Amino acid sequence: MSKPYLKDFTPAELAALPEITPAYRAKQVFAWLHRGVSSAAEMTDLPKALRETLDERYTVSKPTMLRRQISSDGTRKYLWELADGNCVETVLMRYKYGPSVCVSTQAGCRMGCVFCASTKLGLARNLLPSEILDQILFAGLDCGERVSHVVLMGTGEPLDNYDNVRKFLTLVGTDGGLNIGARNISLSTCGLCDRIDRLADEKLQITLSVSLHAPNDTLRQQIMPIARKYPMEWLLRSCARYFEVTGRRVSYEYIMIRGFNDTPACAEELAERLRGQNAHVNLIRLNNIAESPLRPSLPESVREFQRVLTERGITATVRRRLGDDISAACGQLRREQINRL
Ligand code: SAH
């Protein structure tokens, strides 16, 4: 059996470990871990005996960087290999306010959305809290800047790995570690309603992003199997509740697929569905993926769609494309890697 991962522990949990005495050492251990050391041996201000015991009984995780691509706009994409040979990808985007890191929450995904490359090979396994955190830690160290924002929008469905994602949210916001506040974190979901309700009750200040991608169940069910389990009415009710409970405005992602969901009539229907909600819609032109007949909408359809929404009082923005010259979108590096094996 593999040894427990030290980065899965909060400072309080570290302090409760029998090996870590006196308890104040826990803070030091936590800080070293979240600075990216590769073993306890490197924690130079701790007694040697403690360092040796920690290395004997626990793992200090460090993914291997298999590939790194750097785009002309500064976007960096990483493919990491985890201890058991699974691969995950991470994207670091540079904004005026600082770097934002997009993390994967699962190796693969079992949601089966037809437009998404990440789900084609199914779910390999859930990531540990430490494995989600490591993506930010090591991408940040590689780019040399403090990461200011995190989006849980990489491979995987974060709410399908609820407990580990919840623990990750605690760890990443802890003082002495990466210390990234909830308001700088967005979680994107394909719409697992009961989990959205549970997340709302945690009363965190994170932004909830919901992958809507259609104005009605008929269209949504054609591209997102999860829509058969959770109808849109239920989803929108959970989103409204999320806003009521947390005070955080929900943001909706809408992939624009040519001739499928991008007509002005779709925009009108969407505006009608979202009316009265303090919603924000993010329009995203579909990224082409291999072997898929779906094509991105034409730029003029995107503009028209946005105009119709705005006219009806729904704020809508068009997502800027970053990393266009590298395969930065949605599970493509991991897929290339697995196909090569
Ligand atoms: N499972 C979560 C988070 C991962 S997907 C979710 O569904 O939200 C992150 C975002 O990328 C989602 O909005 C997803 O719909 C979108 N996405 C997936 N494939 C895409 C593609 N080919 N083009 C554009 N966006 C895509």
Side-chain angles (χ1 to χ4, degrees):
M1 221 187 79
S2 73
K3 299 183 278 185
Y5 281 36
L6 270 182
K7 257 176 273 175
D8 284 333
F9 295 85
T10 63
E13 288 166 347
L14 288 173
L17 293 179
E19 294 86 0
I20 301 188
T21 49
Y24 71 81
R25 296 270 186 222
K27 267 197 171 160
Q28 285 170 276
V29 173
F30 188 84
W32 277 112
L33 290 168
H34 293 249
R35 255 180 257 155
V37 294
S38 356
S39 67
E42 291 170 41
M43 303 178 182
T44 47
D45 58 1
L46 293 185
K48 194 148 181 270
L50 172 58
R51 289 188 260 156
E52 286 173 359
T53 317
L54 289 179
D55 276 332
E56 249 167 56
R57 301 190 190 163
Y58 298 92
T59 304
V60 178
S61 55
K62 185 167 196 171
T64 310
M65 195 193 294
L66 285 186
R67 287 179 72 187
R68 182 184 67 181
Q69 297 179 328
I70 304 184
S71 156
S72 53
D73 62 29
T75 301
R76 291 176 178 224
K77 175 131 191 183
Y78 303 90
L79 183 73
W80 314 101
E81 186 179 19
L82 306 175
D84 66 351
N86 266 302
C87 293
V88 291
E89 42 189 299
T90 307
V91 183
L92 180 145
M93 292 151 291
R94 291 197 133 101
Y95 293 106
K96 279 192 219 83
Y97 50 71
S100 175
V101 173
C102 175
V103 294
S104 296
T105 53
Q106 298 180 309
C109 182
R110 55 179 184 150
M111 295 298 124
C113 300
V114 301
F115 46 79
C116 180
S118 299
T119 195
K120 297 289 175 217
L121 299 161
L123 176 68
R125 68 168 173 85
N126 282 328
L127 298 187
L128 293 169
S130 52
E131 291 171 326
I132 305 173
L133 189 121
D134 277 342
Q135 298 171 55
I136 305 164
L137 177 57
F138 293 107
L141 287 172
D142 179 66
C143 94
E145 272 180 78
R146 181 183 178 273
V147 173
S148 65
H149 289 67
V150 172
V151 294
L152 286 82
M153 240 181 234
T155 299
E157 168 48 51
L159 299 184
D160 189 37
N161 182 16
Y162 192 93
D163 293 338
N164 289 349
V165 164
R166 176 67 192 89
K167 182 75 178 283
F168 156 78
L169 291 170
T170 300
L171 291 167
V172 78
T174 300
D175 197 18
L178 294 181
N179 202 8
I180 302 172
R183 283 172 180 272
N184 290 348
I185 300 178
S186 294
L187 182 150
S188 179
T189 177
C190 63
L192 278 56
C193 297
D194 38 14
R195 302 285 171 88
I196 292 177
D197 295 344
R198 190 166 155 201
L199 186 68
D201 293 331
E202 312 259 9
K203 296 198 169 61
L204 305 171
Q205 286 297 296
I206 63 173
T207 299
L208 181 69
S209 272
V210 174
S211 296
L212 204 54
H213 306 333
N216 58 52
D217 283 318
T218 313
L219 287 185
R220 198 159 187 265
Q221 284 170 4
Q222 289 176 40
I223 51 173
M224 301 178 76
I226 196 71
R228 283 180 229 139
K229 183 161 180 197
Y230 300 105
M232 224 164 120
E233 200 186 315
W234 185 359
L235 177 56
L236 294 178
R237 226 183 303 130
S238 289
C239 292
R241 183 175 175 278
Y242 187 89
F243 174 67
E244 272 165 38
V245 175
T246 64
R248 303 285 291 166
R249 183 171 78 160
V250 175
S251 144
Y252 295 95
E253 290 153 272
Y254 194 100
I255 300 184
M256 306 274 306
I257 305 171
R258 195 185 306 179
F260 174 74
N261 64 356
D262 64 349
T263 60
C266 285
E268 279 169 29
E269 193 178 356
L270 180 65
E272 192 53 39
R273 293 302 290 262
L274 296 179
R275 205 157 50 111
Q277 266 209 40
N278 193 350
H280 175 261
V281 176
N282 213 331
L283 300 172
I284 308 160
R285 277 187 77 212
L286 178 81
N287 280 307
N288 280 315
I289 61 166
E291 303 131 45
S292 165
L294 305 176
R295 291 288 159 259
S297 299
L298 299 168
E300 51 268 34
S301 322
V302 180
R303 274 195 303 273
E304 178 61 9
F305 201 94
Q306 181 185 25
R307 196 190 61 74
V308 172
L309 287 178
T310 316
E311 211 176 72
R312 283 162 179 69
I314 308 284
T315 44
T317 47
V318 180
R319 184 172 296 167
R320 191 157 62 95
R321 289 177 82 103
L322 289 172
D324 243 356
D325 51 340
I326 57 176
S327 43
C330 314
Q332 303 195 23
L333 259 191
R334 177 172 181 270
R335 203 170 169 213
E336 279 168 33
Q337 176 70 19
I338 294 175
N339 283 343
R340 255 196 271 146
L341 298 176

